[in-house]
């Protein structure tokens, strides 16, 4: 039964992830991954710790209770709480009963959380655990506060009795030294790009597990060149759960055994014998009744660092700036580079396209958008969405158009 329980240390890792996410969503406070990884059971919520205010602590406690399917006021908040205190409360409650998880979507757009029966999440974890067969240890760089993070970095390793190492605390050199024969490394494609650029080497028989935005063939090839073995990729979402997997970006995804096709939708075959229909967040092009390739997102979202962002909504927000008449935002994907958003801006009469204005707009965006949602390049054009009137280097200005890198 130990495989189907959560240890206090694992609960702390979930609570710290939820706290960081809630601070970003509700209070506009972004906590870097390295800082979040440094929070432990002994870290205070308040001063000399996570530096969370009383109001923020109450919101984070509500988020924790919601995540574990409990009443919103289930986690009591005290003036000198540490993360370990909250973990103790949660541990006692889920030992008595744990029937559901409630996950916020991988976006900061304010959408409602999604409820999943706990048995369904454990069912997904059993599917992912099968992909970890034969691994000796898991090194993870992902947050445990999402559905995909919880399943891949906590529940599935539990089912295989794997030790889990939080590799977010390690430098690339330290991580290269710590990796061992038989490890599995869990990361999003954005983090895999970072590893491809910075890891000096990877020991033999180390495999990867990826989820989030699509893994590109170029990135997979670069990682194989570093010494990585198999690279397995998961497909799923907060709304559906974990649906499928593949061994290579060139392969179609395969459904896990507890899923089947139903027209353009899916059917989950639940542990209690019931069935549950689900609509995937992407258009699926079926190769067979059990294999598919991904099309476009149904809701217009794109993923930056595993976070869903909505270019249309971001463009509408930027268009509220006093100097902006209209704006379109698109995703830029280039081999060997990080995915990034590019904003094409048409200015109102009387405003001059230059780098200073681009910086002013970027500062305005920083106060309203989370880091994954912010464009990294601002291009001024005669018509929003058009190409610049002429080529301009980053930060340069020419012929009535300007391009600035944030």
């Amino acid at each position: 039964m130990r495989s189907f329980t959560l240890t206090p240390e694992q609960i702390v890792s979930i609570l710290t992830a939820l706290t960081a996410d809630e601070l970003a969503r509700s209070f506009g406070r972004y906590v870097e991954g390295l800082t979040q990884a440094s929070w432990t059971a002994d870290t205070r919520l308040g001063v000399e710790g996570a530096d969370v205010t009383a109001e923020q602590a109450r919101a984070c406690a509500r988020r924790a209770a919601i995540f574990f399917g409990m009443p919103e006021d289930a986690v009591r908040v005290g003036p000198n709480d540490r993360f370990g205190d909250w973990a103790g409360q949660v541990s006692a409650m889920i030992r008595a009963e744990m029937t559901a998880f409630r996950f916020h979507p991988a976006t900061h757009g304010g959408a409602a959380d999604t409820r999943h029966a706990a048995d369904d999440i454990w069912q997904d974890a059993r599917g992912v655990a099968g992909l970890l067969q034969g691994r000796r240890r898991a090194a993870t760089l992902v947050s445990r506060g999402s559905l995909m993070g919880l399943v891949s970095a906590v529940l599935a390793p539990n089912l295989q009795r794997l030790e889990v190492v939080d590799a977010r605390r390690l430098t690339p050199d330290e991580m290269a030294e710590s990796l061992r024969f038989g490890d599995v490394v869990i990361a999003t494609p954005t983090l895999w790009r970072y590893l491809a650029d910075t890891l000096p080497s990877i020991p033999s028989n180390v495999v990867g597990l990826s989820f989030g935005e699509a893994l590109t063939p170029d990135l997979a090839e670069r990682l194989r060149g570093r010494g990585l073995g198999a690279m397995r990729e998961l497909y799923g979402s907060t709304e559906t759960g974990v649906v499928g997997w593949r061994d290579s970006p060139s392969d179609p995804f395969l459904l896990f055994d507890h899923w089947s096709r139903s027209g353009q939708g899916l059917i989950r075959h639940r542990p209690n014998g019931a069935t549950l229909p689900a609509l995937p967040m992407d258009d699926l092009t079926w190769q067979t009744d059990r294999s598919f390739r991904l099309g476009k997102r149904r809701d217009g979202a794109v993923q930056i660092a595993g976070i869903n962002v909505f270019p249309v909504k971001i463009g509408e927000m930027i268009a509220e700036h006093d100097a902006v008449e209209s704006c379109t935002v698109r995703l830029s994907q280039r081999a060997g580079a990080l995915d990034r958003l590019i904003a094409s801006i048409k200015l109102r009469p009387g405003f001059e396209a230059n780098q200073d204005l681009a910086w002013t707009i970027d500062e305005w965006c920083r106060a309203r958008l989370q880091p994954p949602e912010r464009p990294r390049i601002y291009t001024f054009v005669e018509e929003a969405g058009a190409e610049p009137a002429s080529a301009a280097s980053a930060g340069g200005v020419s012929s009535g158009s300007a391009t600035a890198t944030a």
Side-chain angles (χ1 to χ4, degrees), residues 21-369:
D21 189 63
E22 186 64 23
L23 290 173
R25 287 177 188 266
S26 299
F27 299 96
R29 176 185 164 191
Y30 182 70
V31 180
E32 294 183 351
L34 185 61
T35 299
Q36 180 189 325
S38 71
W39 292 346
T40 68
D42 291 329
T43 301
R44 293 186 181 276
L45 272 294
V47 293
E48 300 182 357
D51 199 23
V52 171
T53 68
E55 178 189 7
Q56 292 169 347
R58 290 190 294 270
C60 293
R62 284 195 300 272
R63 177 71 181 280
I66 288 171
F67 182 89
F68 289 101
M70 298 181 293
E72 293 187 8
D73 60 353
V75 177
R76 300 183 305 277
V77 179
N80 299 307
D81 281 347
R82 303 173 189 265
F83 281 111
D85 298 323
W86 286 10
Q89 294 184 54
V90 170
S91 180
M93 285 183 279
I94 65 175
R95 278 201 307 269
E97 181 181 46
M98 185 169 63
T99 60
F101 290 98
R102 289 166 62 187
F103 301 95
H104 282 52
T107 176
H108 291 162
D113 59 86
T114 300
R115 183 188 185 278
H116 288 279
D119 285 348
D120 290 350
I121 299 303
W122 284 110
Q123 182 183 49
D124 288 353
R126 282 191 289 270
V128 176
L131 305 180
L132 306 183
Q133 186 73 37
R135 297 297 98 197
R136 299 182 178 184
R137 196 179 60 157
T140 177
L141 290 97
V142 301
S143 167
R144 280 76 152 178
S146 67
L147 184 150
M148 300 295 287
L150 176 72
V151 168
S152 65
V154 180
L155 304 185
N158 271 6
L159 293 174
Q160 290 290 359
R161 304 292 182 90
L162 300 181
E163 175 191 357
V164 177
V165 176
D166 191 342
R168 294 175 300 174
R169 306 170 183 173
L170 305 178
T171 67
D173 286 341
E174 289 171 341
M175 186 171 179
E177 292 176 2
S178 72
L179 288 176
R180 304 173 189 168
F181 180 95
D183 281 351
V184 57
V185 179
I186 305 167
T188 66
T190 296
L191 294 168
W192 281 118
R193 290 188 192 95
Y194 170 73
L195 295 179
D197 290 337
T198 59
L199 274 185
S201 63
I202 299 175
S204 62
N205 196 29
V206 171
V207 303
L209 186 67
S210 181
F211 64 85
E213 65 268 33
L215 190 74
T216 63
D218 170 76
L219 177 56
E221 185 62 31
R222 290 175 62 203
L223 290 164
R224 282 193 290 270
R226 292 282 185 178
L228 190 71
M231 169 60 84
R232 288 174 173 155
E233 186 177 1
L234 301 177
Y235 173 70
S237 69
T238 302
E239 294 78 10
T240 60
V242 190
V243 171
W245 66 282
R246 63 182 176 185
D247 260 336
S248 167
S250 61
D251 294 338
F253 284 95
L254 302 175
L255 291 175
F256 282 111
D257 290 344
H258 57 284
W259 289 97
S260 64
R261 177 185 178 183
S262 176
Q264 292 304 306
L266 299 165
I267 296 289
R268 178 193 284 271
H269 300 270
R270 307 177 72 184
N272 62 5
T275 58
L276 182 68
L279 182 67
M281 299 305 293
D282 303 87
D283 289 325
L284 306 183
T285 301
W286 292 94
Q287 309 293 290
T288 70
D289 279 346
R290 299 204 60 78
S291 65
F292 59 90
R293 295 186 185 276
L294 297 183
K296 293 184 177 180
R297 289 271 304 195
R298 298 178 189 272
D299 58 4
V302 299
Q303 288 205 329
I304 302 291
I307 301 295
N308 292 336
V309 300
F310 297 86
V312 171
K313 294 181 179 179
I314 295 170
E316 291 172 350
M317 192 282 298
I318 295 175
E320 296 175 3
H321 188 281
D322 290 342
V324 178
E325 180 173 311
S326 58
C327 175
T328 60
V329 175
R330 64 181 176 87
L331 175 67
S332 172
Q333 294 178 303
R334 296 184 302 164
L338 296 179
D339 293 349
R340 56 187 179 177
L341 297 178
I342 298 178
S344 297
I345 296 172
K346 180 182 179 182
L347 295 176
R348 295 183 184 277
F351 289 91
E352 180 183 355
N354 55 47
Q355 191 176 46
D356 287 343
L357 180 57
W359 284 337
T360 299
I361 294 174
D362 182 58
E363 287 297 322
W364 191 82
C365 289
R366 286 173 183 268
R368 292 162 175 81
L369 297 171

Side-chain angles (χ1 to χ4, degrees), residues 380 382 388-392 397-402:
F380 299 107
E382 294 181 0
S390 64
V397 181
S398 65
S399 301
S401 70

